[in-house]
């Protein structure tokens, strides 16, 4: 009988342990399963570009890749962050791509508490994580933000670290640290260098700043969801034209019609630029009500706009209003001989050939032939992915991310082995100077 109390106590202890473990497992599962919506005004923990120039936005143990799309667990891309730091919270991050420093060139750095992780092509490098003081002597632990600054913009290849009200300029070559105070800047929760400009994120707002002085010029702060995320429906107010012409989010599609008007599509909105350079912006649904939003590709041919969405082709007669032709939408495969969705399409002037980009290949489809079939398949070597493209009298403009590249002809684009000069979409196509 004396054993009975002991047996009961053991059973109770096991039951409590099982319940606690089950609760922790359930809590962890709930935490990882939590749905994060960046369009609800999240304050990001860190922002950095990967080796291919795709921005990564970190929040807790989750990661958003690019300017739209759902969150995923950070440890899917950077497994060791979870192995060494179970919370998965990234304090600061940046990609260092100083060409004169091959040791650090194209490396991604993540800062968690007192540790720094260095990745190359998503693989943790040998010996990491290390103490921040070992890799960046003089830089404090528990950082708020960090951003790289090449010598063309900061005088020396540098990294700018942020903690509370303090800013630390770290000279990569000499390891000297200069402590500064950026009086006109808010405290940054994350920082980001993008298209040679510097952005301090605070909450769901951001300010553009001078990396040497910290000065903020212009009308700031601005709403991050207007410029760095595709959140077309997060609010009804605001200047839609200003947002669309200055957004850093890539275009989904672009074309110019026979009259010289440019149509550029992004998410739920589009910009129209007429031959007098007058810009207007509206929702896709307001002008193309059957489409609603999210156009994959568009090209102009014989006074009609051919608009591709997923596996369907919509053909509109250009006018006021634009009119969907009877019988459309139709399958892309049946109309153009190629399976949708596709990435980009364009027709050069005075030709019947639509050039279709799908993945890393370009095809030709003769619009005057029956049936239409893709021919002349060629690989594209200079870009792994194309977001949009259009053709005009001066050649082909190929858009990737927030930049475009100009080629004199389709042949030059296909034959190119190196990218030409990079141009900013927001500035050089739509006149946004900030």
């Amino acid at each position: 009988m004396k054993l009975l109390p002991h047996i009961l106590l053991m059973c109770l202890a096991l039951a409590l342990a099982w319940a606690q473990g089950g609760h922790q497992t359930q809590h962890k599962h709930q935490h990882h399963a939590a749905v994060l919506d960046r369009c609800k005004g999240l304050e990001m923990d860190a922002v950095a570009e990967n080796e291919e120039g795709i921005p990564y936005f970190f929040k807790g143990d989750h990661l958003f890749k690019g300017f739209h799309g759902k969150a995923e667990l950070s440890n899917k891309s950077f497994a060791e962050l979870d192995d060494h730091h179970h919370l998965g919270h990234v304090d600061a991050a940046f990609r260092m791509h100083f060409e004169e420093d091959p040791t650090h060139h194209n490396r991604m750095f993540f800062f968690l508490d007192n540790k720094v992780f260095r990745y190359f092509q998503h693989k943790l490098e040998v010996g990491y994580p290390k103490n921040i003081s070992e890799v960046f002597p003089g830089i404090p632990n528990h950082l708020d933000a960090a951003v790289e600054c090449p010598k063309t913009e900061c005088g020396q290849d540098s990294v700018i670290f942020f903690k509370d009200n303090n800013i630390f300029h770290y000279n990569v070559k000499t390891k000297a640290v200069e402590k500064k105070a950026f009086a006109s800047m808010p405290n940054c929760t994350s920082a980001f260098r993008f298209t040679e400009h510097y952005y301090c994120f605070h909450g769901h707002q951001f300010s553009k700043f001078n990396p040497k002085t910290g000065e903020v010029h212009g009308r700031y702060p601005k709403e991050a969801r207007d410029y760095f995320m595709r959140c077309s429906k997060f609010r009804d107010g605001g200047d839609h034209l200003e947002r669309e012409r200055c957004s850093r989010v890539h275009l989904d599609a672009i074309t110019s019609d026979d009259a010289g008007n440019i149509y550029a599509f992004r998410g739920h909105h589009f910009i129209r630029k007429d031959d007098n350079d007058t810009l207007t912006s509206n929702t896709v649904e307001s002008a193309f009500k059957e489409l609603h939003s999210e156009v994959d590709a568009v090209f102009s041919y014989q006074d009609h706009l051919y608009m591709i969405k997923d596996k369907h082709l919509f053909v509109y007669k250009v006018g006021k209003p634009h009119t969907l032709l009877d019988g459309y939408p139709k399958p892309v495969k049946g109309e153009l001989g190629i399976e949708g969705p596709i990435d980009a399409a364009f027709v050069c002037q005075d030709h019947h050939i639509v050039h279709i980009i799908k993945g890393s290949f370009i095809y030709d489809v003769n619009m005057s032939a029956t049936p239409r079939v893709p021919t002349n398949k060629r690989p594209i070597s200079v870009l792994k992915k194309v977001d949009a493209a259009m053709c005009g009298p001066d050649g082909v403009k190929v858009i990737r991310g927030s930049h475009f590249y100009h080629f004199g002809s389709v042949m030059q684009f296909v034959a190119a082995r190196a990218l030409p000069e990079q141009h900013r979409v927001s500035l050089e196509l739509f006149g946004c100077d900030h």
Side-chain angles (χ1 to χ4, degrees):
M1 294 296 292
K2 292 182 180 180
L3 289 175
L4 184 58
H6 295 288
I7 293 172
L8 290 173
L9 285 172
M10 287 178 65
C11 291
L12 181 60
L14 287 170
L16 287 171
W18 179 88
Q20 185 177 14
H23 173 74
Q24 289 174 345
T25 301
Q26 183 184 23
H27 175 75
K28 183 176 182 180
H29 175 74
Q30 288 174 342
H31 178 59
H32 283 183
V35 177
L36 297 178
D37 185 353
R38 65 172 112 190
C39 295
K40 295 281 179 69
L42 295 179
E43 177 181 279
M44 298 298 175
D45 299 322
V47 186
E49 283 186 316
N50 73 353
E51 295 92 336
E52 297 178 354
I54 298 172
Y56 283 2
F57 297 83
F58 293 86
K59 178 63 178 178
D61 58 357
H62 281 74
L63 163 64
F64 296 93
K65 293 181 177 179
F67 294 112
H68 62 97
K70 296 180 179 179
E72 62 181 57
L73 288 171
S74 303
N75 60 15
K76 286 182 63 177
S77 298
F78 306 98
E80 298 82 3
L81 294 180
D82 211 36
D83 292 342
H84 294 274
H85 191 97
H86 299 297
L87 293 178
H89 170 86
V90 177
D91 294 326
F94 65 87
R95 175 173 68 100
M96 191 184 292
H97 51 283
F98 306 143
E99 294 186 5
E100 294 183 6
D101 184 4
T103 302
H104 295 130
H105 181 61
N106 258 347
R107 267 59 176 181
M108 294 190 74
F109 289 81
F110 300 107
F111 298 83
L112 292 80
D113 294 339
N114 64 333
K115 297 293 184 182
V116 57
F117 295 69
R118 191 177 79 179
Y119 283 85
F120 181 63
Q121 296 180 347
H122 284 69
K123 294 182 180 179
L124 185 69
E125 297 202 280
V126 176
Y128 284 85
K130 296 181 179 180
N131 290 330
I132 294 175
S133 58
E134 180 183 353
V135 183
F136 298 97
I139 299 303
N141 299 326
H142 303 285
L143 292 163
D144 293 327
V147 65
E148 77 283 4
C149 187
K151 66 179 181 180
T152 53
E153 294 157 21
C154 274
Q156 298 292 335
D157 286 338
S158 309
V159 181
I160 308 172
F161 293 95
F162 301 79
K163 181 170 181 176
D164 300 326
N165 296 317
N166 299 314
I167 285 82
F168 304 85
H169 274 243
Y170 180 88
N171 188 311
V172 173
K173 186 175 182 180
T174 67
K175 298 188 176 182
V177 179
E178 183 181 2
K179 189 175 180 180
K180 297 185 177 183
F182 286 178
S184 63
M185 271 179 60
N187 289 352
C188 303
T189 53
S190 58
F192 189 35
R193 177 181 179 266
F194 192 63
T195 63
E196 292 77 51
H197 294 291
Y198 292 80
Y199 302 96
C200 164
F201 291 87
H202 37 100
H204 52 83
Q205 295 184 313
F206 74 95
S207 299
K208 190 178 81 171
F209 68 95
N210 183 310
K212 287 185 177 181
T213 66
E215 292 177 306
V216 176
H217 298 291
R219 295 175 294 160
Y220 290 95
K222 296 182 186 292
E223 171 59 64
R225 289 170 289 181
D226 276 342
Y227 298 90
F228 288 95
M229 302 168 198
R230 194 160 77 182
C231 299
S232 303
K233 289 189 173 180
F234 82 91
R235 62 175 177 171
D236 295 326
D239 187 336
H240 294 307
L241 178 58
E242 167 74 4
R243 178 187 69 206
E244 292 304 320
R245 63 192 284 264
C246 294
S247 176
R248 278 60 170 173
V249 180
H250 70 77
L251 293 173
D252 296 327
I254 190 169
T255 192
S256 58
D257 64 20
D258 296 340
N261 304 305
I262 292 176
Y263 298 83
F265 297 83
R266 179 191 291 113
H268 294 269
H269 287 78
F270 77 99
I271 297 174
R272 183 179 181 274
K273 181 180 181 181
D274 66 23
D275 55 357
N276 293 320
D277 289 339
T278 301
L279 292 169
T280 56
S281 178
N282 214 324
T283 63
V284 173
E285 192 171 13
S286 67
F288 309 96
K289 62 181 181 179
E290 296 84 2
L291 271 170
H292 303 294
S293 64
E294 310 286 341
V295 180
D296 293 329
V298 58
F299 64 91
S300 177
Y301 178 67
Q302 294 186 342
D303 207 29
H304 289 77
L305 291 176
Y306 287 70
M307 309 179 75
I308 297 166
K309 179 183 175 68
D310 299 324
K311 296 185 177 183
H312 293 93
L313 175 68
F314 298 72
V315 181
Y316 285 87
K317 173 71 175 177
V318 175
K320 294 184 179 180
H322 303 302
T323 307
L324 183 69
L325 297 190
D326 289 341
Y328 287 88
K330 296 181 180 180
V332 175
K333 177 72 173 177
E335 292 292 290
L336 301 177
I338 191 167
E339 192 71 48
I342 67 173
D343 298 314
F346 59 91
V347 175
C348 294
Q349 290 187 330
D350 302 324
H351 289 82
H352 295 282
I353 304 298
V354 56
H355 305 281
I356 294 179
I357 298 174
K358 183 179 174 69
S360 57
F361 292 93
I362 184 169
Y363 306 79
D364 295 343
V365 176
N366 188 339
M367 294 294 290
S368 62
T370 303
R372 296 168 181 160
V373 294
T375 61
N376 199 18
K377 178 181 178 181
R378 288 110 42 192
I380 300 170
S381 60
V382 289
L383 287 168
K384 292 183 178 179
K385 179 173 171 46
V386 171
D387 291 321
M390 68 177 180
C391 191
D394 59 344
V396 182
K397 293 182 176 69
V398 180
I399 297 173
R400 176 71 176 113
S402 58
H403 294 96
F404 72 87
Y405 305 90
H406 181 232
F407 300 88
S409 66
V410 179
M411 185 180 295
Q412 288 183 16
F413 169 50
V414 175
R417 294 296 176 264
L419 286 172
E421 181 183 357
Q422 196 177 69
H423 300 271
R424 285 174 55 197
V425 170
S426 58
L427 174 64
E428 297 180 60
L429 290 185
F430 305 129
C432 177
D433 60 357
H434 64 80

